[in-house]
Amino acid sequence: MEDSTDGLHHLIEQELNSHEKILKPDFSETTGRELLVFYLQSKFKQLVSFDRDSKNPIFSYIKPEFVQKFSRRLVSNPDKRIMIGITGESASGKSTLCKAMSNVIKSFNMPVSILATDNYFKDISSLIEKYSTFDNLRDNGYDVDSPESFQLDVLQDDLQMLAKGNDIYAPEYLPNGTGVSVPRSKFVPSNKIIIVEGMATMYGQIKDIFDIKIYVETDIDIRKERFLHRAFTERNQDFSNAKKHWDYILVAGEKYVKPSRSSADIIINGTTNMEYFCQLLEYLHAITNNFEN
């Protein structure tokens, strides 16, 4: 079987060097957008077929109605920001995927904003002060990953503002164990593409704001290995505490995150080759912008 990265590189070159390009549509007109959508649908089907035959496919599942639904949105409301929500259980690879998407999009000088929903955790500094440490608070029953532990009303308002083209100042949850949330702290511009990452992207009505809902899925053994490695190398946690927190997030993920899998438009393999994934994004960029003027 041909290496996925080599095969996709060949597709990109073939697309860029093709002499059979269509005239660039007038995107200000509905008919122009409809032509673009029809063209992209056919190319996307080719890409999915290619990925299906690769050694380590990116797409585990694509909702049957997703392409048509997203196409209708592009035609009917072209000025709305493209809102992409990425979720998955802890250590599934969603942050890595998000960074790869951002880097590729930026490399083509396309404006993109990144927002992490972890910044919308509620301020629990008084509770941590009461129990001395976050670990003690967790061990006494505080369910940090539950929807009730997030400022979902603020998150929903902020996402709706971004979708309409308005810049925001998001809260910032300090990752230093103090449980402090600083309101209106992080400036987030409303760029054409907005990627939102974290477990809260699919909580409640938040999921309805996104044009593309992505769920990243990875085998539990790989997730555990990633989580413990991160705990030791990045957070200086001892093994006992890291294992205890892994046991917590395992239960929390099953309870709060995994149900959102059924809402996803696309389920992505969290162990996919990032070079291959980036090339897939490059191909999408090529087919979207490679027109004859």
Side-chain angles (χ1 to χ4, degrees), residues 101-189:
M101 291 177 68
S102 175
N103 290 338
V104 172
I105 293 170
K106 286 178 180 177
S107 73
F108 291 112
N109 295 317
M110 297 177 67
V112 58
S113 297
I114 306 292
L115 181 62
T117 61
D118 282 2
N119 280 304
Y120 289 82
F121 278 122
K122 290 180 178 177
D123 189 306
I124 53 173
S125 54
S126 60
L127 287 173
I128 289 181
E129 186 176 348
K130 177 180 178 181
Y131 288 94
S132 301
T133 67
F134 171 82
D135 296 331
N136 287 340
L137 176 61
R138 176 202 62 206
D139 293 345
N140 278 275
Y142 183 77
D143 196 353
V144 67
D145 290 342
S146 73
E148 289 73 23
S149 297
F150 287 86
Q151 304 174 63
L152 294 183
D153 54 342
V154 178
L155 176 58
Q156 182 171 343
D157 288 344
D158 282 355
L159 292 179
Q160 288 173 339
M161 290 287 286
L162 287 170
K164 293 175 182 177
N166 300 305
D167 302 337
I168 64 160
Y169 282 89
E172 181 177 14
Y173 184 82
L174 304 183
N176 57 5
T178 61
V180 171
S181 174
V182 183
R184 304 298 174 194
S185 175
K186 294 174 70 71
F187 175 70
V188 183

Coordinates of all heavy atoms in Angstrom, one line a residue, residues 101-189:
M101 N -3.8 22.2 13.0 CA -4.8 23.0 12.1 C -4.4 24.4 12.1 O -4.4 25.1 11.0 CB -6.2 22.8 12.6 CG -6.8 21.4 12.5 SD -8.5 21.3 13.2 CE -9.4 22.3 12.1
S102 N -4.1 25.0 13.3 CA -3.8 26.4 13.3 C -2.5 26.7 12.6 O -2.5 27.7 11.8 CB -3.6 26.8 14.8 OG -3.1 28.1 14.9
N103 N -1.5 25.9 12.7 CA -0.2 26.2 12.0 C -0.4 26.1 10.5 O 0.2 27.0 9.8 CB 0.8 25.1 12.5 CG 1.3 25.3 13.9 OD1 1.1 26.4 14.4 ND2 1.8 24.3 14.5
V104 N -1.1 25.1 10.0 CA -1.3 25.0 8.6 C -2.1 26.2 8.0 O -1.8 26.8 7.0 CB -2.0 23.7 8.2 CG1 -2.4 23.7 6.7 CG2 -1.1 22.5 8.5
I105 N -3.2 26.5 8.7 CA -4.0 27.7 8.3 C -3.2 28.9 8.3 O -3.3 29.7 7.3 CB -5.3 27.8 9.2 CG1 -6.2 26.6 9.0 CG2 -6.1 29.1 8.9 CD1 -7.3 26.5 10.0
K106 N -2.4 29.2 9.3 CA -1.6 30.4 9.3 C -0.6 30.4 8.2 O -0.2 31.5 7.7 CB -0.9 30.5 10.7 CG -1.9 30.9 11.8 CD -1.1 30.9 13.2 CE -2.1 31.4 14.3 NZ -1.4 31.3 15.6
S107 N 0.0 29.2 7.9 CA 1.0 29.1 6.8 C 0.5 29.6 5.5 O 1.2 30.0 4.6 CB 1.5 27.7 6.7 OG 0.6 26.9 6.1
F108 N -0.8 29.6 5.3 CA -1.5 30.1 4.1 C -2.0 31.5 4.2 O -2.8 32.0 3.4 CB -2.6 29.2 3.6 CG -2.1 27.8 3.1 CD1 -2.3 26.7 3.8 CD2 -1.3 27.7 2.0 CE1 -1.9 25.4 3.4 CE2 -0.9 26.5 1.5 CZ -1.1 25.4 2.2
N109 N -1.6 32.2 5.3 CA -2.0 33.5 5.6 C -3.5 33.7 5.7 O -4.1 34.7 5.4 CB -1.4 34.5 4.5 CG 0.1 34.6 4.5 OD1 0.7 34.6 5.5 ND2 0.6 34.5 3.3
M110 N -4.1 32.6 6.2 CA -5.5 32.7 6.5 C -5.8 33.0 7.9 O -5.1 32.5 8.8 CB -6.2 31.4 6.1 CG -6.1 31.0 4.7 SD -6.8 29.3 4.4 CE -8.6 29.7 4.7
P111 N -6.6 34.0 8.2 CA -6.8 34.4 9.6 C -7.6 33.4 10.4 O -8.6 32.9 10.1 CB -7.7 35.7 9.5 CG -8.4 35.5 8.2 CD -7.5 34.7 7.3
V112 N -7.0 32.9 11.6 CA -7.6 31.9 12.4 C -7.4 32.3 13.9 O -6.4 32.9 14.3 CB -6.9 30.5 12.2 CG1 -5.4 30.6 12.4 CG2 -7.6 29.5 13.0
S113 N -8.4 32.1 14.7 CA -8.4 32.3 16.1 C -8.6 31.0 16.8 O -9.3 30.1 16.4 CB -9.5 33.3 16.5 OG -9.3 34.5 15.9
I114 N -7.8 30.8 17.9 CA -7.9 29.6 18.7 C -8.4 30.0 20.1 O -8.0 31.0 20.7 CB -6.5 29.0 18.9 CG1 -5.9 28.7 17.5 CG2 -6.7 27.7 19.7 CD1 -6.6 27.7 16.7
L115 N -9.4 29.2 20.6 CA -9.9 29.4 21.9 C -10.1 28.1 22.7 O -10.7 27.2 22.1 CB -11.3 30.1 21.8 CG -12.1 30.4 23.1 CD1 -11.3 31.4 24.0 CD2 -13.4 31.0 22.8
A116 N -9.5 28.0 23.9 CA -9.6 26.8 24.7 C -10.7 27.0 25.7 O -10.7 28.0 26.5 CB -8.2 26.6 25.4
T117 N -11.6 26.0 25.7 CA -12.7 26.2 26.7 C -12.3 25.9 28.1 O -13.0 26.3 29.1 CB -13.8 25.2 26.4 OG1 -13.4 23.8 26.4 CG2 -14.4 25.4 25.0
D118 N -11.1 25.4 28.3 CA -10.6 25.3 29.7 C -10.5 26.6 30.4 O -10.5 26.7 31.7 CB -9.2 24.6 29.7 CG -9.3 23.1 29.5 OD1 -10.5 22.6 29.3 OD2 -8.3 22.4 29.5
N119 N -10.4 27.7 29.6 CA -10.3 29.0 30.2 C -11.7 29.4 30.8 O -11.8 30.5 31.5 CB -9.9 30.1 29.2 CG -8.4 30.0 29.0 OD1 -7.6 30.2 30.0 ND2 -8.0 29.8 27.8
Y120 N -12.7 28.6 30.6 CA -14.0 29.0 31.1 C -14.4 28.2 32.4 O -15.5 28.2 32.8 CB -15.1 28.8 30.0 CG -15.0 29.8 29.0 CD1 -14.1 29.7 27.9 CD2 -15.8 31.0 29.0 CE1 -13.9 30.7 27.0 CE2 -15.7 31.9 28.0 CZ -14.8 31.8 27.0 OH -14.6 32.8 26.1
F121 N -13.4 27.5 33.0 CA -13.6 26.9 34.3 C -14.0 28.0 35.3 O -13.5 29.1 35.2 CB -12.3 26.2 34.8 CG -12.1 24.9 34.3 CD1 -10.9 24.6 33.6 CD2 -13.0 23.8 34.5 CE1 -10.7 23.3 33.2 CE2 -12.8 22.6 34.0 CZ -11.6 22.3 33.4
K122 N -14.9 27.7 36.2 CA -15.3 28.7 37.2 C -14.2 28.9 38.2 O -13.3 28.0 38.4 CB -16.5 28.2 37.9 CG -17.8 28.2 37.1 CD -19.0 27.7 37.9 CE -20.3 27.7 37.1 NZ -21.4 27.2 37.8
D123 N -14.1 30.1 38.8 CA -13.1 30.4 39.8 C -13.5 29.6 41.1 O -14.5 29.6 41.6 CB -13.2 31.9 40.1 CG -12.1 32.3 41.0 OD1 -11.9 31.7 42.1 OD2 -11.4 33.3 40.7
I124 N -12.5 28.7 41.4 CA -12.7 27.9 42.6 C -11.5 28.2 43.6 O -11.2 27.3 44.5 CB -12.7 26.4 42.3 CG1 -11.4 26.0 41.5 CG2 -13.9 26.0 41.5 CD1 -11.3 24.5 41.2
S125 N -11.0 29.4 43.6 CA -9.9 29.7 44.5 C -10.3 29.7 45.9 O -9.5 29.2 46.8 CB -9.4 31.1 44.1 OG -10.4 32.1 44.2
S126 N -11.5 30.0 46.3 CA -11.9 30.0 47.7 C -12.1 28.5 48.1 O -11.7 28.2 49.3 CB -13.3 30.7 47.8 OG -14.3 30.1 47.0
L127 N -12.5 27.6 47.2 CA -12.6 26.2 47.6 C -11.2 25.6 47.8 O -11.0 24.8 48.7 CB -13.4 25.5 46.5 CG -14.9 25.7 46.5 CD1 -15.5 25.0 45.3 CD2 -15.5 25.2 47.7
I128 N -10.3 26.0 46.9 CA -8.9 25.4 47.0 C -8.3 25.9 48.3 O -7.5 25.2 49.0 CB -8.1 25.8 45.8 CG1 -8.6 25.0 44.6 CG2 -6.6 25.6 46.0 CD1 -7.8 25.2 43.3
E129 N -8.5 27.2 48.6 CA -8.0 27.7 49.9 C -8.6 27.0 51.1 O -7.9 26.7 52.1 CB -8.4 29.2 50.0 CG -7.8 29.9 51.2 CD -8.1 31.4 51.2 OE1 -8.5 31.9 50.2 OE2 -7.8 32.1 52.2
K130 N -9.8 26.6 51.0 CA -10.5 25.9 52.1 C -9.9 24.5 52.2 O -9.7 24.0 53.4 CB -12.0 25.8 51.8 CG -12.8 24.9 52.8 CD -14.2 24.9 52.5 CE -15.0 24.0 53.5 NZ -16.5 23.9 53.1
Y131 N -9.6 23.8 51.1 CA -9.1 22.4 51.2 C -7.6 22.3 51.0 O -7.1 21.2 50.9 CB -9.8 21.6 50.1 CG -11.2 21.3 50.4 CD1 -12.3 22.1 49.9 CD2 -11.6 20.2 51.2 CE1 -13.6 21.8 50.2 CE2 -12.9 19.9 51.5 CZ -13.9 20.7 51.0 OH -15.2 20.5 51.3
S132 N -6.9 23.5 50.9 CA -5.4 23.6 50.9 C -4.9 23.3 49.5 O -4.0 24.0 49.0 CB -4.8 22.6 51.8 OG -5.2 22.9 53.2
T133 N -5.4 22.3 48.8 CA -4.8 22.0 47.4 C -6.0 21.6 46.5 O -7.0 21.1 47.0 CB -3.8 20.9 47.4 OG1 -4.4 19.7 47.8 CG2 -2.6 21.2 48.4
F134 N -5.7 21.7 45.2 CA -6.7 21.2 44.2 C -6.9 19.7 44.4 O -8.1 19.2 44.3 CB -6.2 21.5 42.8 CG -7.1 20.8 41.7 CD1 -8.2 21.4 41.3 CD2 -6.7 19.6 41.2 CE1 -9.0 20.8 40.4 CE2 -7.5 19.0 40.2 CZ -8.7 19.6 39.8
D135 N -5.9 18.9 44.6 CA -6.0 17.5 44.8 C -6.9 17.1 46.0 O -7.7 16.2 45.9 CB -4.6 16.9 45.0 CG -3.7 17.0 43.7 OD1 -4.3 17.1 42.6 OD2 -2.5 17.1 43.9
N136 N -6.8 17.9 47.1 CA -7.6 17.6 48.2 C -9.1 17.9 47.9 O -10.0 17.2 48.3 CB -7.2 18.4 49.4 CG -5.9 17.9 50.0 OD1 -5.5 16.8 49.8 ND2 -5.2 18.8 50.8
L137 N -9.3 19.0 47.1 CA -10.6 19.4 46.7 C -11.2 18.3 45.9 O -12.4 17.9 46.1 CB -10.6 20.7 46.0 CG -11.9 21.3 45.4 CD1 -12.9 21.5 46.5 CD2 -11.6 22.5 44.6
R138 N -10.5 17.8 44.9 CA -11.0 16.8 44.0 C -11.3 15.5 44.8 O -12.3 14.9 44.7 CB -9.9 16.4 43.0 CG -10.2 15.3 42.1 CD -8.9 14.7 41.5 NE -8.0 14.2 42.5 CZ -6.7 14.1 42.4 NH1 -6.1 14.5 41.3 NH2 -6.0 13.6 43.4
D139 N -10.4 15.2 45.8 CA -10.6 14.0 46.6 C -11.8 14.1 47.5 O -12.3 13.1 48.0 CB -9.3 13.7 47.4 CG -8.1 13.3 46.5 OD1 -8.4 13.0 45.3 OD2 -7.0 13.3 47.0
N140 N -12.2 15.3 47.8 CA -13.4 15.5 48.6 C -14.7 15.7 47.8 O -15.7 16.1 48.3 CB -13.2 16.7 49.5 CG -12.4 16.4 50.8 OD1 -13.0 16.0 51.8 ND2 -11.1 16.6 50.7
G141 N -14.6 15.3 46.5 CA -15.8 15.2 45.7 C -16.1 16.3 44.7 O -17.1 16.3 44.0
Y142 N -15.2 17.3 44.6 CA -15.5 18.3 43.6 C -15.3 17.8 42.2 O -14.2 17.3 41.8 CB -14.5 19.5 43.8 CG -14.8 20.7 42.9 CD1 -15.9 21.5 43.1 CD2 -14.1 20.9 41.7 CE1 -16.3 22.5 42.2 CE2 -14.4 22.0 40.9 CZ -15.5 22.8 41.1 OH -15.8 23.8 40.3
D143 N -16.3 17.9 41.4 CA -16.3 17.3 40.0 C -15.9 18.4 39.0 O -16.7 19.0 38.4 CB -17.7 16.8 39.7 CG -17.7 15.8 38.5 OD1 -16.7 15.7 37.9 OD2 -18.8 15.2 38.3
V144 N -14.6 18.5 38.8 CA -14.1 19.7 38.1 C -14.5 19.6 36.6 O -14.6 20.7 35.9 CB -12.5 19.7 38.2 CG1 -11.9 18.5 37.5 CG2 -12.0 21.0 37.6
D145 N -14.7 18.5 36.0 CA -15.1 18.4 34.6 C -16.5 18.4 34.3 O -16.9 18.3 33.1 CB -14.4 17.1 34.0 CG -12.9 17.2 33.9 OD1 -12.4 18.3 34.0 OD2 -12.3 16.1 33.8
S146 N -17.4 18.5 35.3 CA -18.8 18.5 35.0 C -19.2 19.8 34.4 O -18.6 20.9 34.5 CB -19.6 18.3 36.3 OG -19.5 19.5 37.1
P147 N -20.3 19.8 33.6 CA -20.8 21.1 33.0 C -21.0 22.2 34.0 O -20.8 23.4 33.7 CB -22.1 20.7 32.3 CG -21.9 19.2 32.0 CD -21.1 18.7 33.2
E148 N -21.4 21.9 35.2 CA -21.6 22.9 36.2 C -20.3 23.6 36.7 O -20.4 24.6 37.3 CB -22.3 22.2 37.5 CG -23.7 21.8 37.3 CD -23.9 20.6 36.4 OE1 -22.9 19.8 36.3 OE2 -24.9 20.4 35.8
S149 N -19.2 23.0 36.4 CA -17.9 23.6 36.8 C -17.4 24.6 35.7 O -16.3 25.2 35.9 CB -16.9 22.5 37.0 OG -17.2 21.7 38.0
F150 N -18.1 24.8 34.6 CA -17.8 25.8 33.6 C -18.7 27.0 33.6 O -19.9 26.9 33.9 CB -17.8 25.1 32.2 CG -16.7 24.1 31.9 CD1 -16.8 22.8 32.3 CD2 -15.5 24.5 31.3 CE1 -15.8 21.9 32.1 CE2 -14.5 23.6 31.0 CZ -14.6 22.3 31.4
Q151 N -18.2 28.1 33.1 CA -19.0 29.3 32.9 C -19.6 29.2 31.5 O -19.3 29.9 30.5 CB -18.1 30.5 32.9 CG -17.4 30.7 34.2 CD -16.4 31.9 34.2 OE1 -16.8 33.0 34.0 NE2 -15.1 31.6 34.3
L152 N -20.6 28.3 31.3 CA -21.2 28.0 30.0 C -22.0 29.1 29.5 O -22.0 29.3 28.2 CB -22.0 26.7 30.1 CG -21.3 25.4 30.4 CD1 -22.3 24.2 30.4 CD2 -20.2 25.2 29.4
D153 N -22.6 29.9 30.3 CA -23.3 31.1 29.9 C -22.4 32.1 29.2 O -22.7 32.7 28.2 CB -24.1 31.7 31.0 CG -23.3 32.1 32.2 OD1 -22.2 31.5 32.4 OD2 -23.8 32.9 33.0
V154 N -21.2 32.3 29.8 CA -20.2 33.2 29.3 C -19.6 32.7 28.0 O -19.5 33.4 27.0 CB -19.1 33.5 30.3 CG1 -18.0 34.4 29.7 CG2 -19.7 34.1 31.6
L155 N -19.3 31.4 28.0 CA -18.8 30.8 26.8 C -19.8 30.9 25.6 O -19.4 31.2 24.5 CB -18.5 29.3 27.1 CG -18.0 28.4 25.9 CD1 -16.7 29.0 25.3 CD2 -17.8 27.0 26.3
Q156 N -21.1 30.6 25.9 CA -22.0 30.7 24.8 C -22.2 32.1 24.3 O -22.2 32.3 23.0 CB -23.4 30.3 25.3 CG -24.5 30.3 24.3 CD -25.8 29.6 24.7 OE1 -25.8 28.9 25.7 NE2 -26.9 29.8 24.0
D157 N -22.2 33.1 25.1 CA -22.3 34.5 24.7 C -21.0 34.9 23.9 O -21.1 35.5 22.8 CB -22.4 35.5 25.9 CG -23.7 35.4 26.6 OD1 -24.7 34.8 26.0 OD2 -23.9 35.9 27.7
D158 N -19.8 34.5 24.3 CA -18.6 34.8 23.6 C -18.6 34.2 22.3 O -18.1 34.8 21.3 CB -17.4 34.3 24.5 CG -17.1 35.3 25.6 OD1 -17.7 36.3 25.7 OD2 -16.2 34.9 26.4
L159 N -19.0 32.9 22.1 CA -18.9 32.2 20.9 C -19.9 32.9 19.9 O -19.7 33.0 18.7 CB -19.2 30.7 21.0 CG -18.2 29.9 21.8 CD1 -18.6 28.5 21.9 CD2 -16.8 30.0 21.1
Q160 N -21.1 33.2 20.4 CA -22.1 33.9 19.5 C -21.5 35.3 19.0 O -21.8 35.6 17.9 CB -23.4 34.1 20.3 CG -24.1 32.7 20.4 CD -25.3 32.8 21.3 OE1 -25.5 33.8 22.1 NE2 -26.3 31.9 21.2
M161 N -20.8 36.0 19.9 CA -20.2 37.2 19.5 C -19.2 37.0 18.4 O -19.1 37.7 17.4 CB -19.6 37.9 20.7 CG -20.6 38.4 21.7 SD -21.5 39.9 21.1 CE -20.1 41.1 21.3
L162 N -18.3 36.0 18.6 CA -17.2 35.7 17.6 C -17.9 35.3 16.3 O -17.4 35.7 15.2 CB -16.4 34.6 18.2 CG -15.4 34.9 19.3 CD1 -14.8 33.7 19.9 CD2 -14.3 35.9 18.8
A163 N -18.9 34.5 16.3 CA -19.5 34.0 15.1 C -20.1 35.2 14.3 O -20.1 35.1 13.0 CB -20.6 33.0 15.4
K164 N -20.5 36.2 14.9 CA -21.1 37.4 14.3 C -20.0 38.4 13.8 O -20.3 39.4 13.2 CB -22.1 38.1 15.2 CG -23.3 37.3 15.5 CD -24.2 38.0 16.5 CE -25.4 37.2 16.9 NZ -26.2 37.8 17.9
G165 N -18.7 38.1 14.1 CA -17.7 39.0 13.7 C -17.2 40.0 14.8 O -16.4 40.9 14.4
N166 N -17.6 39.8 16.0 CA -17.2 40.7 17.1 C -16.0 40.1 17.9 O -16.1 38.9 18.3 CB -18.3 41.0 18.0 CG -19.5 41.6 17.3 OD1 -19.4 42.6 16.7 ND2 -20.7 41.0 17.4
D167 N -15.0 40.9 18.1 CA -13.9 40.4 19.0 C -14.4 40.3 20.4 O -15.3 41.0 20.8 CB -12.7 41.4 18.9 CG -12.2 41.6 17.5 OD1 -12.3 40.7 16.7 OD2 -11.6 42.7 17.3
I168 N -13.7 39.5 21.2 CA -14.1 39.3 22.6 C -12.8 39.4 23.5 O -11.7 39.3 23.0 CB -14.8 38.0 22.8 CG1 -13.8 36.8 22.6 CG2 -16.1 37.9 22.0 CD1 -14.3 35.5 23.2
Y169 N -13.1 39.5 24.8 CA -12.1 39.2 25.8 C -12.6 38.0 26.6 O -13.6 38.1 27.4 CB -11.9 40.5 26.7 CG -11.0 41.5 26.0 CD1 -11.6 42.5 25.2 CD2 -9.6 41.5 26.2 CE1 -10.8 43.5 24.6 CE2 -8.8 42.5 25.6 CZ -9.4 43.4 24.8 OH -8.6 44.4 24.2
A170 N -11.9 36.9 26.5 CA -12.3 35.7 27.2 C -11.7 35.6 28.6 O -10.7 36.3 28.9 CB -11.8 34.5 26.4
P171 N -12.3 34.9 29.5 CA -11.7 34.7 30.8 C -10.4 33.9 30.7 O -10.2 33.2 29.6 CB -12.7 34.0 31.6 CG -13.6 33.3 30.6 CD -13.6 34.2 29.4
E172 N -9.6 33.9 31.7 CA -8.3 33.1 31.7 C -8.3 32.3 33.0 O -8.2 33.0 34.1 CB -7.1 33.9 31.5 CG -5.8 33.1 31.4 CD -4.6 33.9 31.2 OE1 -4.7 35.1 31.3 OE2 -3.5 33.3 30.9
Y173 N -8.3 31.0 32.9 CA -8.2 30.2 34.1 C -6.7 29.9 34.3 O -6.1 29.3 33.4 CB -9.0 28.9 33.9 CG -9.0 28.0 35.2 CD1 -9.9 28.3 36.2 CD2 -8.1 26.9 35.3 CE1 -9.9 27.5 37.4 CE2 -8.1 26.1 36.4 CZ -9.0 26.4 37.4 OH -9.0 25.6 38.6
L174 N -6.1 30.3 35.4 CA -4.7 30.1 35.7 C -4.3 28.7 36.0 O -4.9 28.1 36.9 CB -4.3 31.0 36.8 CG -4.6 32.5 36.6 CD1 -4.0 33.3 37.8 CD2 -4.0 33.1 35.3
P175 N -3.4 28.1 35.2 CA -3.1 26.7 35.4 C -2.0 26.5 36.5 O -1.1 25.7 36.3 CB -2.6 26.3 34.0 CG -1.9 27.5 33.5 CD -2.7 28.7 34.0
N176 N -2.1 27.2 37.6 CA -1.1 27.1 38.6 C -1.5 26.5 39.9 O -0.8 26.6 40.9 CB -0.5 28.5 38.9 CG -1.6 29.5 39.3 OD1 -2.7 29.1 39.5 ND2 -1.2 30.8 39.4
G177 N -2.7 25.9 39.8 CA -3.2 25.2 41.0 C -4.0 26.1 42.0 O -4.5 25.6 43.0
T178 N -4.1 27.4 41.7 CA -4.8 28.3 42.6 C -6.3 28.3 42.4 O -7.0 28.8 43.2 CB -4.2 29.8 42.4 OG1 -4.5 30.2 41.1 CG2 -2.7 29.8 42.7
G179 N -6.7 27.9 41.2 CA -8.2 27.9 40.9 C -8.7 29.3 40.5 O -9.9 29.5 40.5
V180 N -7.8 30.2 40.2 CA -8.2 31.6 39.9 C -8.6 31.7 38.5 O -7.9 31.2 37.6 CB -7.1 32.6 40.2 CG1 -7.4 34.0 39.7 CG2 -6.8 32.6 41.7
S181 N -9.8 32.3 38.2 CA -10.2 32.7 36.9 C -10.3 34.2 36.8 O -11.0 34.9 37.5 CB -11.6 32.1 36.6 OG -12.1 32.5 35.3
V182 N -9.5 34.7 35.8 CA -9.4 36.2 35.6 C -10.4 36.5 34.5 O -10.3 36.1 33.4 CB -8.0 36.6 35.2 CG1 -8.0 38.2 35.1 CG2 -7.0 36.1 36.2
P183 N -11.5 37.3 34.8 CA -12.5 37.6 33.8 C -12.0 38.6 32.8 O -11.1 39.4 33.0 CB -13.6 38.3 34.7 CG -12.9 38.8 35.9 CD -11.8 37.9 36.2
R184 N -12.5 38.4 31.5 CA -12.2 39.3 30.4 C -10.7 39.6 30.3 O -10.3 40.8 30.3 CB -13.0 40.6 30.6 CG -14.5 40.4 30.7 CD -15.1 39.7 29.4 NE -16.5 39.4 29.5 CZ -17.1 38.6 28.7 NH1 -16.5 38.0 27.7 NH2 -18.4 38.3 28.8
S185 N -9.9 38.6 30.2 CA -8.5 38.7 30.3 C -7.8 38.5 29.0 O -6.8 39.1 28.6 CB -7.9 37.7 31.3 OG -6.5 37.8 31.4
K186 N -8.3 37.5 28.2 CA -7.6 37.1 26.9 C -8.3 37.7 25.7 O -9.5 37.4 25.5 CB -7.5 35.6 26.8 CG -6.6 34.9 27.9 CD -6.7 33.4 27.8 CE -6.1 32.9 26.5 NZ -4.6 33.0 26.6
F187 N -7.6 38.5 24.9 CA -8.2 39.0 23.7 C -8.2 38.0 22.6 O -7.2 37.3 22.3 CB -7.3 40.2 23.2 CG -7.8 40.8 21.9 CD1 -9.0 41.4 21.8 CD2 -7.1 40.6 20.7 CE1 -9.5 42.0 20.6 CE2 -7.5 41.1 19.5 CZ -8.7 41.8 19.4
V188 N -9.4 37.8 22.1 CA -9.6 36.8 21.0 C -10.3 37.5 19.8 O -11.4 37.9 19.9 CB -10.5 35.6 21.4 CG1 -10.6 34.6 20.3 CG2 -10.0 35.0 22.7
P189 N -9.5 37.7 18.7 CA -10.1 38.4 17.5 C -11.1 37.5 16.8 O -10.9 36.3 16.8 CB -8.9 38.7 16.7 CG -7.9 37.6 17.0 CD -8.1 37.3 18.5

